[in-house]
Amino acid sequence: MDNCNNLTENYTPRKKHEGSIRRRKIISNTAIYIILVLISFIWLIPFVCILIQSLNVDWYYAALASGATPPKGGGIIGYLIPAHWGFNNYINLFTQTHFLKWYLNTFIIAAITAVIQTIMVLTMSYTLSRLRFKGRKFLMNFMLILGMFPGFLTMIVLYFLLKQFGFTQEGSMWGLILVYTASSGMGYYVSKGFFDTIPKSLDEAARIDGANRLQVMIKVILPLSKPIIIYTVLTAFMGPWGDFMFARYICFGYDQAYNVALGLQLFLTQDQIGTSYTLFCAAGVIVAIPITVLFMFLQRYYVEGVTGGAVKG
């Protein structure tokens, strides 16, 4: 009987302690969720404002620029909640500007760059992960150190080289593709880390069956590397999609070769922002759609590629 009483006395404080831990956990999780919701709300405010203004047909800024009376309901309320809604800005964007040409230029550059850069990164990563050759460590360290220098240090030299080959202004599309893909092999770090996680016994088994190195890579390694392939394609596509600085440097003076980042900057100049701000918002929404869709459908593979490649190799 005494033993039963002792067990009951010990059980009650333990149960209270577990309940206290559970309550603290619920409170802390609730606080974390509230903070995350608030951060998400603050982070989404600019995107919501851009979306709303892309549908604004009041031309509030045009009225201000021309000195006319702003539409009824102007000010902060008219800005956040337009009185009239419509798709006029999207229609005018494609009919009255060169946006479609800029969009196609950017898509072609980004697509070609993604294909070439993915091939170069994966082959370089496979070589450094699976092969052992003289100078391998030196090559990896050299590329690591070289990648620490910002790319704009070579912009002047690159411009004169591209100009000699006719890859500026009218031919700037091919110049941009060349620049984006020329040093892509130096971005092998994450892909190599992912390949290091794949057992080398698979390579040895395939080699015993008579496969060469290329067949091992294509038929054995790549089918197991879907996350890192998608990660590489996405990162290679996003770079050219949003590039502004180098595109402005070699495309200046020829608006038919502009990409979307360079073209949209024209809407924000001092003499254009008053009448083109809502066009800029509409273009921003359209530009964001491809990347948003890609991330929504490929987010799981993207995360797996990053985490799988973040290993010591």
Side-chain angles (χ1 to χ4, degrees):
M1 184 62 105
D2 292 338
N3 291 334
C4 291
N5 292 333
N6 292 333
L7 289 175
T8 303
E9 292 176 357
N10 293 334
Y11 176 74
T12 302
R14 184 185 309 163
K15 187 175 181 180
K16 291 181 179 179
H17 180 66
E18 292 176 354
S20 176
I21 293 177
R22 190 180 300 109
R23 285 193 298 270
R24 287 199 299 267
K25 186 176 181 180
I26 293 174
I27 293 173
S28 63
N29 288 340
T30 303
I32 291 173
Y33 290 142
I34 292 174
I35 294 173
L36 291 176
V37 169
L38 291 175
I39 293 175
S40 301
F41 178 76
I42 296 172
W43 182 74
L44 288 173
I45 286 177
F47 299 96
V48 174
C49 291
I50 290 176
L51 179 60
I52 291 175
Q53 282 305 297
S54 70
L55 300 172
N56 181 9
V57 296
D58 284 336
W59 293 96
Y60 178 71
Y61 288 95
L64 289 179
S66 62
T69 303
K72 186 178 181 180
I76 190 65
I77 301 300
Y79 175 75
L80 294 179
I81 308 175
H84 302 91
W85 304 74
F87 295 95
N88 301 52
N89 293 317
Y90 293 92
I91 296 173
N92 294 333
L93 186 67
F94 286 99
T95 58
Q96 299 180 10
T97 69
H98 297 298
F99 177 76
L100 181 59
K101 178 65 175 177
W102 301 335
Y103 198 87
L104 290 176
N105 290 343
T106 309
F107 181 80
I108 292 172
I109 293 172
I112 296 177
T113 300
V115 173
I116 298 176
Q117 194 170 118
T118 301
I119 294 174
M120 294 183 67
V121 169
L122 293 180
T123 52
M124 174 65 76
S125 302
Y126 175 79
T127 300
L128 296 176
S129 174
R130 287 303 198 259
L131 303 183
R132 297 296 182 267
F133 52 89
K134 188 176 181 180
R136 173 178 171 273
K137 287 290 186 181
F138 171 79
L139 179 62
M140 293 172 60
N141 294 333
F142 177 76
M143 288 191 292
L144 180 63
I145 295 174
L146 194 63
M148 295 180 180
F149 293 92
F152 62 81
L153 292 177
T154 61
M155 288 181 64
I156 297 177
V157 176
L158 285 175
Y159 174 77
F160 282 104
L161 287 175
L162 294 174
K163 186 176 181 179
Q164 294 296 323
F165 290 98
F167 289 159
T168 59
Q169 295 185 315
E170 294 90 341
S172 58
M173 178 184 294
W174 302 110
L176 289 172
I177 293 174
L178 180 61
V179 171
Y180 294 147
T181 58
S183 60
S184 56
M186 295 173 58
Y188 68 89
Y189 317 108
V190 178
S191 300
K192 177 187 175 296
F194 188 92
F195 288 154
D196 288 341
T197 64
I198 300 177
K200 293 184 179 180
S201 58
L202 299 177
D203 301 43
E204 297 170 355
R207 295 283 289 173
I208 292 174
D209 290 338
N212 55 37
R213 291 290 184 182
L214 182 60
Q215 291 174 328
V216 171
M217 177 183 175
I218 295 177
K219 297 183 178 181
V220 178
I221 303 300
L222 292 185
L224 300 174
S225 307
K226 188 176 181 179
I228 199 62
I229 294 174
I230 293 176
Y231 166 81
T232 307
V233 171
L234 285 177
T235 54
F237 186 86
M238 287 190 300
W241 190 258
D243 180 56
F244 172 80
M245 184 171 64
F246 197 79
R248 180 178 177 83
Y249 190 62
I250 69 172
C251 297
F252 71 94
Y254 190 75
D255 58 357
Q256 293 294 322
Y258 285 0
N259 62 359
V260 287
L262 188 54
L264 296 188
Q265 189 266 343
L266 298 178
F267 295 156
L268 298 179
T269 56
Q270 187 174 2
D271 57 338
Q272 292 292 326
I273 189 172
T275 57
S276 301
Y277 179 73
T278 51
L279 290 177
F280 170 81
C281 293
V285 173
I286 296 176
V287 170
I289 288 176
I291 299 298
T292 303
V293 172
L294 285 175
F295 269 95
M296 287 178 61
F297 286 97
L298 303 177
Q299 181 181 15
R300 178 169 64 90
Y301 299 105
Y302 183 85
V303 174
E304 289 179 3
V306 175
T307 56
V311 297
K312 182 178 180 181

